[in-house]
Amino acid sequence: LDIKMYIKDEIDALAQLITELQKAILKLGKANINVIIPGYTHLQVAQCVLLAHHLLSYIEGLERDKGRLSDAKERADSMPLGACAFSGTGLPIDRNFVAKELGFKNVTANSIDSVSDRDFIIEVLAGLSILSVHLSRMAEDLILWSTKEFSFIDIDFSFCTGSSIMPHKKNPDILELIRGSVGKIQGDLSSVLILMKGLPSSYNRDLQLDKPALFDAIDTVENMLEVFIPLFENIIIEKEAIAAKLNDESLFSVDIVEYLIKK
């Protein structure tokens, strides 16, 4: 019961943070709506693309993440209270009344399933794992864009560190830590899946070990989102450096081919 109530609250908080991140990304795109950057596939120069178009791709993935978490919340919104240890109770309780008081839409239908189901935890962890992959890929883009080789963006120093020895370094450590922390979340999902796969029906004490993984994953993702929002709000776009990279004629090969086809 408590875990389901916790999950519902945390999903609402996560959805709000994701929305705030989407707004920060959208604001950056709007402020640089005419900036054209070299696009890449296979990490090789491909075609010209609007910076805003690239940034909007992040918003699409994050919107799917919100949808997945919302779906998980729907399936967590059934109250198990009244199942007791295993087989319910013969006492004249009113589960529907209690569910309404506690803000649940439904009550669970089977007492054995009620005490042994952890699908709702696995589903939340799966949603967080996919969300974390999106955040990791965004971090990787920003790390690349901040290098001298790309010079697309300048990340505020409050999200970077200097070197232990080299005075010219500005390392995007926060983004690297976000990228590295994603492995923990994938591990949290795996640990609960492995925990569940060998259990017989009904309650087993192993199930108390689902909580550290859930708490860790939610806290880690919330921390990532809380860092990403101000990071995007303080990114500077290096317009002159980007413009210089557009002199590469190979960027326009497709445009020439399409011109010839139309002729």
Side-chain angles (χ1 to χ4, degrees), residues 2 14 20 39 53 64 75 78-79 92 94 101 106 108-109 112 137 144-145 156 178 212 228 239:
D2 291 345
L14 285 164
E20 290 301 313
H53 191 60
R64 291 193 299 273
R75 276 180 285 280
S78 57
M79 188 193 74
D94 188 341
E101 290 293 297
N106 308 293
T108 55
I112 297 175
R137 295 185 69 184
L144 286 172
W145 286 2
D156 191 81
I178 287 174
F228 252 127
K239 296 180 181 179

Side-chain angles (χ1 to χ4, degrees), residues 6 16 19 52 59 81 94 101-102 149-150 154 177-178 199 205 228 248-250 259 262:
Y6 165 78
Q16 181 61 39
T19 299
I59 292 176
L81 204 63
D94 188 341
E101 290 293 297
L102 295 179
E149 287 75 16
F150 279 77
D154 181 50
L177 289 171
I178 287 174
L199 296 184
R205 192 67 176 192
F228 252 127
D248 184 347
E249 292 183 354
S250 63
Y259 170 80
K262 291 174 183 177

Side-chain angles (χ1 to χ4, degrees), residues 64-103:
R64 291 193 299 273
D65 292 322
K66 283 198 297 187
R68 271 184 284 269
L69 291 173
S70 177
D71 290 344
K73 180 184 175 184
E74 284 292 314
R75 276 180 285 280
D77 204 7
S78 57
M79 188 193 74
L81 204 63
C84 296
F86 167 65
S87 61
T89 178
L91 298 174
I93 62 175
D94 188 341
R95 296 186 72 211
N96 289 313
F97 170 78
V98 177
K100 184 177 180 181
E101 290 293 297
L102 295 179

Side-chain angles (χ1 to χ4, degrees), residues 19-52:
T19 299
E20 290 301 313
L21 176 56
Q22 289 174 308
K23 289 178 179 178
I25 295 169
L26 184 61
K27 184 178 179 180
L28 181 64
K30 280 186 174 180
N32 298 277
I33 197 164
N34 294 318
V35 175
I36 299 169
I37 64 171
Y40 290 75
T41 63
H42 307 276
L43 210 54
Q44 304 290 328
V45 170
Q47 294 175 263
C48 294
V49 67
L50 286 172
L51 172 64

Side-chain angles (χ1 to χ4, degrees), residues 158-171:
S158 59
F159 302 97
C160 302
T161 67
S163 165
S164 60
I165 187 172
M166 293 170 283
H168 65 283
K169 296 296 293 294
K170 183 181 181 182
N171 301 322

